[in-house]
Amino acid sequence: MECGGKKMVLKPIRTSKKLNDDDEEEAILLSPGSRMFHEPNYNIHIVAIMGWKIPLDINSLKAQILSKLLKHPRFSSLQVMDESGEMRWVPTTVNIDDHVIVPQLDIINNSNMDTDKLVEQYISNLSTTTIDISKPLWDIHILNVKTSHAEATSIFRFHHSLGDGIALMSLLLSCFRKTTDPTSLPTLPVSSKNKSNSKNIRSLIWQYIVKLWLLIRLLFNTVVDVLLFIATALFLKDSQSPFTVAKGFNKKHSTGQRFIYRTVSLDDIKFIKNATNATINDVILGITQAALSRYINRKFDVEGKMKEQMRCRATVLVNLRPALGVQAVAEMIEKNAIVIQGNCFGFVIIPLDIAQLQNPLDYVHKAKISMDRKKRSLESQCTFYILQLFLNLFGFKGATKLAKRVPSQTTLAFSNVAGPLEEVSFSGHPLAFLAPTCYGQPTGLMIHACSYAKKLTFAITVDEGMISDPNQLGDDFVDSFISINKAALSKFRTKVD
């Protein structure tokens, strides 16, 4: 299961050029990772929910998609199975009206109508449908309805076989421009690493000793994580909670999935980060632990089944391919180039602390310990090769069963994506918020966090057959954020005094 197909190549291929057999093999064969998403019960779709500050001009939006997005061959190609059983990308003519959907909503001129629930229900209904495979596997739904979040809402839906979330996000953002400068592409955060320039002999010797110790820890942690991954695939299941898939529950008979999103201040997230000497990812995971603890403890209090300790873990799909970036993707689109960006991922299983802690900052401290431990492990790379082994031994069905089995044994799926640093616009329409998520995954709960300008949005996907009050869970995320932020302010004031 090599990244991006049989070869990981970034090769400009003109759509009008006639390909020879070798080029065709490299250019249009679906990667094994993408092919897995066509197996039964693993039909996963990526959804990007976008709120806008002004109503959307449909014709302007279509023109922008035609001039930008459709230049990428993935969005103008069918996925067709050939006589040998391989799936390939086959170029086709795209009718934009088949992909840009403007539904006629039953909106009555009534000021008391809850448009938030109307939009929420529409997005939820999408999770019960799939994209027709007779056309390129993407569409966009436009809801020109004012809600408490935005003046209009759009839902960009992709089949996961088109690529991983990071690649699709880069592709989508390459069509945006800065609101303050319509000629400039969005800027994404770049992680910085401190480099030591010390050349002192004693310092160098000490550095080598530390590196040796870190290597030993890396190997030990990797072995432990791989064994836990295997145990999870075989028998190790999380404790029963409102979020875990109970025995006998059949997701096929579920009424669908509900999508909830809550937005908080990114500046406050950074303040908490500095107060706890953590990272933004640590703070996001800490808020998640606090929110789940609130919800679970409330449920167990009502049912009289409060548990002091429970096994609760999050499955994270880690993209193993270096991200091209918005600038590189935009340049390749302008050249009508094909970007081989199939799915290339491994698993990381992160333990979560579910407890009622007196100091809210402890949720962030515990998250930092877990994240620091996972950074010193090669778990994602090793699980990728385990999937490859299953693919070679048992084919797509065997690999898909493993990819589905592991998340179903844990409590939730978790992901976070860094969005643009500044406000951006699409065809002159300024973006209010961005909430990417998925549906079709084997877990009853999925949490995505996405930053945008000075905001961070939690996108929460729940199975309606398991979680009947998803808005309460969304409110728990906001309440947990507020309590952790207050604790950080209190700590800061104590230091100043």
Side-chain angles (χ1 to χ4, degrees), residues 147-258:
T147 66
S148 61
H149 304 284
E151 293 293 323
T153 305
S154 66
I155 306 96
F156 223 132
R157 183 169 61 158
F158 318 87
H159 192 269
H160 213 315
S161 60
L162 290 180
D164 58 69
I166 300 297
L168 290 173
M169 181 66 71
S170 296
L171 178 62
L172 184 61
L173 290 177
S174 69
C175 301
F176 282 76
R177 294 296 182 267
K178 294 180 183 179
T179 301
T180 56
D181 183 4
T183 62
S184 299
L185 288 164
T187 306
L188 297 180
V190 178
S191 60
S192 59
K193 296 182 179 180
N194 295 325
K195 294 183 180 180
S196 175
N197 296 321
S198 174
K199 295 184 180 180
N200 182 277
I201 295 179
R202 289 185 178 180
S203 177
L204 288 174
I205 293 174
W206 177 247
Q207 288 179 24
Y208 283 124
I209 293 174
V210 171
K211 287 180 180 179
L212 178 61
W213 168 241
L214 291 176
L215 176 61
I216 294 172
R217 288 185 62 183
L218 178 72
L219 295 175
F220 177 78
N221 291 341
T222 300
V223 171
V224 172
D225 288 340
V226 170
L227 290 176
L228 285 174
F229 175 83
I230 295 172
T232 300
L234 293 175
F235 61 86
L236 190 62
K237 185 175 177 63
D238 281 5
S239 303
Q240 191 63 40
S241 75
F243 306 121
T244 50
V245 179
K247 290 183 178 180
F249 179 78
N250 192 345
K251 287 182 70 67
K252 290 182 180 180
H253 299 151
S254 173
T255 56
Q257 293 182 306
R258 184 73 60 174

Side-chain angles (χ1 to χ4, degrees), residues 54-68 96 100 142 426-429:
I54 61 174
L56 292 169
D57 184 310
I58 310 301
N59 292 329
S60 174
L61 191 72
K62 288 180 180 179
Q64 183 76 349
I65 292 174
L66 285 169
S67 65
K68 296 291 184 182
I96 191 67
V100 179
I142 299 174
F426 185 88
S427 186
H429 301 84

Side-chain angles (χ1 to χ4, degrees), residues 73-337:
R74 290 289 183 268
F75 288 80
S76 57
S77 297
L78 301 175
Q79 297 181 23
V80 179
M81 186 173 292
D82 61 20
E83 296 178 354
S84 63
E86 297 280 5
M87 294 195 74
R88 297 178 178 274
W89 300 99
V90 178
T92 186
T93 301
V94 176
N95 182 358
I96 191 67
D97 293 327
D98 290 339
H99 296 268
V100 179
I101 301 167
V102 185
Q104 297 296 321
L105 299 176
D106 296 328
I107 301 178
I108 304 173
N109 293 325
N110 186 346
S111 59
N112 295 324
M113 169 168 271
D114 192 339
T115 54
D116 285 5
K117 286 187 177 180
L118 183 69
V119 171
E120 179 185 315
Q121 185 61 50
Y122 182 88
I123 303 174
S124 176
N125 291 340
L126 280 182
S127 69
T128 63
T129 66
T130 58
I131 303 175
D132 185 359
I133 199 169
S134 65
K135 65 180 184 180
L137 297 180
W138 65 274
D139 57 26
I140 179 170
H141 299 250
I142 299 174
L143 309 178
N144 268 324
V145 179
K146 183 178 180 179
T147 66
S148 61
H149 304 284
E151 293 293 323
T153 305
S154 66
I155 306 96
F156 223 132
R157 183 169 61 158
F158 318 87
H159 192 269
H160 213 315
S161 60
L162 290 180
D164 58 69
I166 300 297
L168 290 173
M169 181 66 71
S170 296
L171 178 62
L172 184 61
L173 290 177
S174 69
C175 301
F176 282 76
R177 294 296 182 267
K178 294 180 183 179
T179 301
T180 56
D181 183 4
T183 62
S184 299
L185 288 164
T187 306
L188 297 180
V190 178
S191 60
S192 59
K193 296 182 179 180
N194 295 325
K195 294 183 180 180
S196 175
N197 296 321
S198 174
K199 295 184 180 180
N200 182 277
I201 295 179
R202 289 185 178 180
S203 177
L204 288 174
I205 293 174
W206 177 247
Q207 288 179 24
Y208 283 124
I209 293 174
V210 171
K211 287 180 180 179
L212 178 61
W213 168 241
L214 291 176
L215 176 61
I216 294 172
R217 288 185 62 183
L218 178 72
L219 295 175
F220 177 78
N221 291 341
T222 300
V223 171
V224 172
D225 288 340
V226 170
L227 290 176
L228 285 174
F229 175 83
I230 295 172
T232 300
L234 293 175
F235 61 86
L236 190 62
K237 185 175 177 63
D238 281 5
S239 303
Q240 191 63 40
S241 75
F243 306 121
T244 50
V245 179
K247 290 183 178 180
F249 179 78
N250 192 345
K251 287 182 70 67
K252 290 182 180 180
H253 299 151
S254 173
T255 56
Q257 293 182 306
R258 184 73 60 174
F259 303 94
I260 306 298
Y261 38 93
R262 297 290 187 270
T263 300
V264 299
S265 167
L266 184 59
D267 287 338
D268 287 340
I269 293 285
K270 292 177 180 178
F271 178 77
I272 297 170
K273 171 185 79 77
N274 295 331
T276 55
N277 192 29
T279 66
I280 290 179
N281 288 339
D282 297 336
V283 177
I284 292 172
L285 186 61
I287 293 172
T288 301
Q289 290 183 143
L292 297 182
S293 297
R294 280 174 179 262
Y295 188 91
I296 290 176
N297 287 325
R298 183 190 305 111
K299 286 292 184 181
F300 280 141
D301 278 342
V302 171
E303 297 174 4
K305 299 178 182 178
M306 186 71 176
K307 293 184 179 181
E308 292 185 0
Q309 289 187 350
M310 60 187 306
R311 182 187 300 113
C312 182
R313 297 171 298 167
T315 301
V316 181
L317 261 66
V318 179
N319 176 41
L320 298 179
R321 180 190 301 103
L324 288 177
V326 175
Q327 184 70 40
V329 172
E331 291 175 357
M332 297 189 78
I333 288 177
E334 291 300 323
K335 297 176 182 178
N336 288 341

Side-chain angles (χ1 to χ4, degrees), residues 354-372:
I354 303 299
Q356 289 290 79
L357 303 178
Q358 290 188 349
N359 184 358
L361 292 179
D362 286 341
Y363 288 110
V364 180
H365 294 146
K366 289 178 177 292
K368 177 176 171 56
I369 292 172
S370 296
M371 295 294 282
D372 287 347

